[in-house]
Structures are given as structure tokens and as C-alpha cells.
Amino acid sequence: MELCVALDLPSREQNLSLAKELKDFPVWLKVGLRSYIRDGKEFIQDLKSINTKFKIFADLKLYDIPNTMADAAEELTKIGIEMFNIHASAGREAMQTVMHRLEQFSKRPLVLAVTVLTSFNEEQFRSIYNASIDEKATQFAKDAYEAGLDGVVCSVFESKRIKQIISSDFITLTPGIRPFGEDAGDQKRVAGIEMAKANESDIIVVGRPIYKAKNPKEVVEKILTKL
Ligand code: C5P
């Protein structure tokens, strides 16, 4: 299992200083919409210059018509990141179009599909999709696999089932992790490290429990010993 640290701090400087603190750790860094909109691709280059071995996950959750998604995916690939995600609910055709567009590159980032956001509970989810979280997450994962994606973003609670149904090689990246029982905040389906491991998550995403801690480096160190 690997750790992905969400760089969700309010300023570029704060995110860079967190990255500097973590420069000796083998971690993924997650750049979300806020940072990317504000700080752009130069921010990704800044992260790489702190440690070229940092693996960057652009959590931009693309959702649009197929051609527009493929255009964005192509541009993201040119930046030189290691992973990005798109919404499975954009549909099979959109996912296939993205993967097809990336065939021109000799090296491409991993592409994950967002299944069900971990901030949804059953009731909220049903009011939009008219289906249960489990049912839909599995369906989205199958669509993503068939479209040639590398894996999915899902909660720990769907990870194992998705692997059983699809393949153990199909990556599951799981946000909503509270390593040491921290406050869930707006997340509804949270889990600890042991649970993530038992459910065969490949990459856990941790944000607030790290960046809100007094000593983020210590928390990361502690998490890494448990993976
Ligand atoms: O602070 P916390 O650990 O809850 O942060 C989780 C991170 O993972 C946030 O950046 C959030 O946007 C992201 N994420 C998520 N659920 C998804 C995909 C991404 O919580 N399905």
C-alpha cells in the first residue's frame, strides 16, 4: 500500500512548505482543483524540483464531453504527472476516448476513474443516481476497466469487492482515511489504515489528518510504518 498526501492547504507557499517537509518520503502528492486553478502547472514543476521522485496525482476529476476530456487528458500528460482522474459517470465512451488519445504517448500517467465520492452517504447518492453506492461503484469500476483505465477512486468499503469482481491488479485509490481515528469532517465513509489494508487498497489518500497536524512529518512517518 502507498500513501498519497493531499496538498489541500490554502496557499501555494503552505503547500510547498509541506512538500519540503516531506521531501525524504516515498509518497504521492495530490494536487487538487484549488491549487491547480490558482498555481497551475508551474506548481507541479515546483514540487518536482523539491524532489524529482515525488509522484504527482492531479486530482482534477475531469467530467465533460468525450473530446474535451481527451483534450484535457492530453495536456495533463504533457505536463509530466504520474496520475490523474476522470469521472466514470462521464460514460464509457468518454473514458475510451481519453485512453485512445493517450496511445500516442510512449509514457502516460495512470488514469483512474472516480466512482462514488466518499462524501456521499446512501441517501444523498440515491437522490442523484437512483441506485445504491455499492451497486453503482461496481458498475462504474467495470466500465472503467473495460474502457482500459488503470483503476478507480473509491472508498475503502468498495475496494475489495471491486478487486474481486475485476482484477487484483486494477488499482484502488481510497480517500476518506483517518489513520488514527481523527475527525471525519465532511467525509461520510471513513476508515483507518488496517481497514484499508484488509480491503486491499493500493493507495490511501490522507489530507487533513496530515496537514492539520502540529507535526505533519511525524504523522507521515507513523503512517508509513503501518503500510
Ligand atoms: O482531508 P481529507 O483526508 O478528507 O482529504 C481527502 C482528499 O481526497 C480531498 O482532497 C478530497 O478532495 C479527495 N477526494 C475525496 N473523495 C474522492 C476523491 C478525492 O475525498 N472520491
Side-chain angles (χ1 to χ4, degrees):
M1 204 159 71
E2 293 181 277
L3 170 65
C4 179
V5 180
L7 297 179
D8 286 340
L9 282 154
S11 74
R12 175 177 174 275
E13 290 65 36
Q14 283 166 292
N15 282 325
L16 286 176
S17 100
L18 176 60
K20 279 179 195 152
E21 265 194 78
L22 306 181
K23 74 173 175 17
D24 297 324
F25 297 116
V27 290
W28 285 85
L29 296 179
K30 185 172 91 67
V31 175
L33 276 171
R34 184 181 192 172
S35 298
Y36 194 75
I37 287 169
R38 190 188 49 221
D39 307 322
K41 60 180 182 188
E42 291 74 24
F43 177 62
I44 289 169
Q45 258 100 55
D46 289 343
L47 293 173
K48 290 276 188 190
S49 65
I50 293 171
N51 179 353
T52 49
K53 288 195 177 132
F54 274 149
K55 291 189 276 186
I56 310 296
F57 168 34
D59 180 21
L60 304 179
K61 300 187 180 72
L62 306 181
Y63 184 101
D64 212 310
I65 58 171
N67 185 60
T68 305
M69 283 174 71
D71 288 345
E74 183 177 335
E75 296 305 331
L76 278 169
T77 302
K78 288 180 190 160
I79 295 174
I81 53 164
E82 282 68 35
M83 182 160 70
F84 69 90
N85 55 2
I86 65 183
H87 270 284
S89 55
R92 222 186 258 233
E93 187 194 333
M95 291 194 277
Q96 276 166 349
T97 308
V98 165
M99 298 317 286
H100 183 63
R101 182 73 71 84
L102 299 188
E103 281 169 9
Q104 62 182 298
F105 296 97
S106 55
K107 195 169 162 252
R108 64 155 177 87
L110 295 170
V111 186
L112 305 184
V114 177
T115 56
V116 177
L117 296 174
T118 42
S119 56
F120 276 132
N121 64 22
E122 285 290 348
E123 195 190 341
Q124 293 166 331
F125 186 77
R126 187 169 285 281
S127 75
I128 302 171
Y129 292 94
N130 198 25
S132 74
I133 290 178
D134 211 39
E135 187 187 332
K136 210 66 194 170
T138 313
Q139 183 58 53
F140 282 151
K142 276 189 197 155
D143 290 347
Y145 181 70
E146 281 160 23
L149 273 76
D150 303 291
V152 286
V153 182
C154 62
S155 92
V156 161
F157 305 99
E158 294 102 42
S159 170
K160 196 170 180 175
R161 203 166 118 80
I162 287 173
K163 291 226 175 220
Q164 279 166 349
I165 292 172
I166 295 171
S167 152
S168 59
D169 296 337
F170 194 56
I171 298 168
T172 57
L173 174 137
T174 59
I177 303 295
R178 293 298 175 259
F180 308 107
E182 297 88 343
D183 184 32
D186 56 347
Q187 300 281 24
K188 302 290 189 315
R189 291 172 293 129
V190 300
I193 298 174
E194 289 310 317
M195 181 79 101
K197 239 188 192 171
N199 284 285
E200 297 164 29
S201 167
D202 293 292
I203 307 173
I204 55 169
V205 179
V206 185
R208 285 163 284 190
I210 292 174
Y211 69 75
K212 289 212 162 169
K214 274 210 188 89
N215 189 340
K217 198 174 159 181
E218 210 174 88
V219 179
V220 168
E221 230 159 10
K222 226 165 115 188
I223 295 173
L224 290 176
T225 61
K226 294 191 180 293
L227 299 187

